[in-house]
Amino acid sequence: MLFLCGICGAVSFLKNAGAGSDAAPGWQKHIAAFFNHQMEWKYFQIPRYLEAGKEDDLLPPVEQLMARQFLFYDYAVFVKEPEVELEDTLMAELIGQQEGADEDFKNIDEEHLDYGEDALHIEKGMLEEMERENSLHESGAEENPVQSEESVEQVAEETGQKEFEAAAYPAYTYDWSEKWDYEALVSNFYAVDNSTSLKEEYVNLNALLYQDLTVNRGSDGPQILIYHTHSRESFADSVPGDASTTIVGAGDKLAELLQDKYGFKVLHHTGEYDTVRDDAYNESLPAITQILEENPTIEVVIDLHRDAVSGDRKLVMDLQGRPTARFMFFNGLSYSRKSGDITYLENPYIQENLAFSFQAQVAANEYYPGIARKVYLKAYRFNMHLRPKSMLIELGAQNNTVEEIMNACDPLAHILAIVLGDGM
């Protein structure tokens, strides 16, 4: 607290000094603005990559702050006008043109990510059952159950688990003839992180629901790219060193289903970019850009992740007698609630990105009610500017089992096929 008060005093002094000197080049005001911007992001909804810093950084907090600021001292002194442009440039330099840090870090109450009793597509009884299944400790389940492949198969045999059957008809159907204004669409489909807000211009039912997202499957090359910004993400019973039991294995399963069952040509890229987790989006961008340049037939880009939830929660439901992980579609808006458009993270495809996740959410809610949490929106770009049909998916979480994750790939593949064509 003393440190906070000291910085606030320094900001006030510098602002006053700059205002009282006609001869000054404005550097006091620039530095004061920089400190002020730092304070806002540090203590008011700061992104994780600024809040947490680097794990191996052993400098005391004051020295870390000064070290970061000295990088921009000359810039603050010599660049004069306009002030707003200067602040944007300083912040862009500060975060290193970050695409995004860790999308798992949420500035929103976790309960807002799930549907409640006002959900149109989920009956109250199902919500209650899902709440019981998703309360990990209440069910007496272990936090990190470890099952061998043999034991998983044995449980499946004992419970009579059958093969997944894609739903032939919707279990629920939205009435799109009703009035779907901004509030109705947001409350029924979106969870908006406190770091951002959803512009009304993007929330148009026609633009979201009726945009044609059909993929041209006549092309010779791949039409869908699946990759993993965070390829090291694993699950409760993942086997150390066995990528097939991590999110990469889930990518293999999803790619196989989309290709063999639904007829798409899929490229699954398994490159690793999260050695330093908060640098992963910047690290993956050049590689994914190159893949798309080498494969111009790719229309769909899917970044497949798994989520992180609080220790007493588990994203699971019973689907056709199979324990199935629940999932969430995700969008980056390149828009800060405090500062507006993040101009150095331009995305010309935000409307198309939103249409893709919206139509997937509608298909999930109608064909498999309860399997999808609300579409989650955050401020940054997360490499979703490379194709109009770009999507980030959070498949389950850290405490799901591999079995639950693999089971979830079946309905997820069907949902994607519905949106991209011929999944009915």
Side-chain angles (χ1 to χ4, degrees):
M1 182 60 69
L2 289 176
F3 172 64
L4 175 60
C5 293
I7 295 297
C8 290
V11 170
S12 177
F13 171 78
L14 287 168
K15 282 186 175 178
N16 292 334
S21 175
D22 294 334
W27 64 269
Q28 295 99 331
K29 289 177 66 178
H30 295 327
I31 294 178
F34 178 70
F35 269 97
N36 184 60
H37 210 146
Q38 288 284 343
M39 293 297 294
E40 281 190 4
W41 283 45
K42 176 70 177 176
Y43 295 101
F44 303 100
Q45 300 165 5
I46 181 171
R48 183 175 180 183
Y49 52 82
L50 291 178
E51 182 181 46
K54 295 185 181 298
E55 293 180 1
D56 58 351
D57 198 338
L58 301 179
L59 288 175
V62 174
E63 294 183 35
Q64 292 178 29
L65 181 61
M66 293 304 295
R68 288 198 298 268
Q69 289 161 350
F70 277 126
L71 292 173
F72 304 102
Y73 179 76
D74 290 339
Y75 193 82
V77 170
F78 292 111
V79 178
K80 295 181 175 58
E81 298 295 340
E83 183 173 337
V84 173
E85 181 179 344
L86 171 67
E87 290 186 33
D88 286 345
T89 306
L90 284 171
M91 189 51 61
E93 291 289 335
L94 176 66
I95 68 173
Q97 300 288 330
Q98 286 280 357
E99 284 291 327
D102 192 344
E103 81 291 335
D104 288 353
F105 179 73
K106 302 177 180 70
N107 192 358
I108 185 174
D109 291 336
E110 194 165 302
E111 63 185 25
H112 295 324
L113 299 169
D114 275 307
Y115 287 95
E117 293 186 358
D118 58 345
L120 298 177
H121 65 292
I122 313 177
E123 296 179 356
K124 185 176 180 180
M126 177 182 285
L127 279 172
E128 293 173 349
E129 176 61 29
M130 287 174 59
E131 180 62 29
R132 285 192 293 271
E133 291 180 349
N134 284 270
S135 296
L136 188 63
H137 295 308
E138 286 183 10
S139 66
E142 299 177 9
E143 283 197 37
N144 294 300
V146 177
Q147 291 183 308
S148 66
E149 184 178 343
E150 182 178 344
S151 65
V152 169
E153 293 176 354
Q154 183 178 353
V155 169
E157 291 178 3
E158 292 175 353
T159 58
Q161 181 172 309
K162 56 183 180 181
E163 290 293 319
F164 172 81
E165 294 182 8
Y169 303 100
Y172 174 85
T173 303
Y174 286 100
D175 184 357
W176 301 115
S177 66
E178 295 181 355
K179 181 181 179 181
W180 287 89
D181 58 14
Y182 179 88
E183 294 299 328
L185 286 168
V186 171
S187 63
N188 278 280
F189 295 98
Y190 295 107
V192 185
D193 192 89
N194 290 325
S195 65
T196 192
S197 60
L198 180 58
K199 295 181 183 180
E200 289 198 28
E201 66 190 75
Y202 292 131
V203 188
N204 177 289
L205 184 61
N206 287 332
L208 292 170
L209 184 63
Y210 299 113
Q211 186 168 154
D212 185 5
L213 300 175
T214 305
V215 167
N216 174 21
R217 280 186 281 186
S219 61
D220 293 332
Q223 298 120 17
I224 299 175
L225 169 66
I226 298 174
Y227 76 103
H228 313 274
T229 298
H230 294 149
S231 63
R232 294 186 172 193
E233 290 177 330
S234 59
F235 305 100
D237 55 350
S238 293
V239 178
D242 183 357
S244 70
T245 64
T246 69
I247 194 63
V248 174
D252 285 336
K253 175 74 178 291
L254 182 61
E256 179 184 349
L257 288 166
L258 288 171
Q259 189 156 284
D260 296 347
K261 189 169 185 178
Y262 297 105
F264 298 98
K265 297 182 180 72
V266 184
L267 173 61
H268 182 206
H269 175 64
T270 59
E272 184 175 297
Y273 304 104
D274 53 340
T275 303
V276 178
R277 187 174 174 90
D278 281 356
D279 290 340
Y281 286 95
N282 274 6
E283 289 294 319
S284 64
L285 180 55
I288 303 308
T289 301
Q290 182 177 347
I291 289 172
L292 294 177
E293 289 175 352
E294 294 172 351
N295 298 274
T297 57
I298 291 176
E299 299 181 43
V300 180
V301 178
I302 296 174
D303 188 4
L304 188 63
H305 295 244
R306 66 107 172 100
D307 206 354
V309 296
S310 57
D312 61 345
R313 302 293 295 169
K314 187 177 182 183
L315 305 178
V316 66
M317 67 180 293
D318 182 296
L319 182 65
Q320 300 180 8
R322 295 153 46 101
T324 304
R326 298 168 62 223
F327 46 79
M328 180 168 66
F329 304 114
F330 177 102
N331 285 97
L333 297 178
S334 296
Y335 185 86
S336 166
R337 186 174 63 84
K338 287 184 175 293
S339 306
D341 291 321
I342 305 177
T343 55
Y344 47 86
L345 294 177
E346 182 182 4
N347 181 357
Y349 302 128
I350 290 176
Q351 185 68 74
E352 291 86 349
N353 292 169
L354 288 168
F356 191 11
S357 61
F358 182 83
Q359 292 184 32
Q361 186 76 13
V362 169
N365 290 353
E366 290 190 338
Y367 281 82
Y368 305 100
I371 198 167
R373 308 175 92 189
K374 291 185 177 182
V375 179
Y376 182 38
L377 307 177
K378 285 195 73 174
Y380 290 86
R381 186 167 64 179
F382 302 96
N383 291 340
M384 300 184 74
H385 62 296
L386 299 174
R387 286 290 187 273
K389 292 189 276 285
S390 292
M391 175 181 285
L392 191 154
I393 304 173
E394 301 277 11
L395 179 57
Q398 82 282 2
N399 51 17
N400 282 105
T401 65
V402 175
E403 178 194 16
E404 292 161 355
I405 294 296
M406 295 303 176
N407 285 345
C409 290
D410 289 297
L412 177 57
H414 183 216
I415 289 163
L416 292 171
I418 290 172
V419 175
L420 300 175
D422 293 338
M424 307 298 285

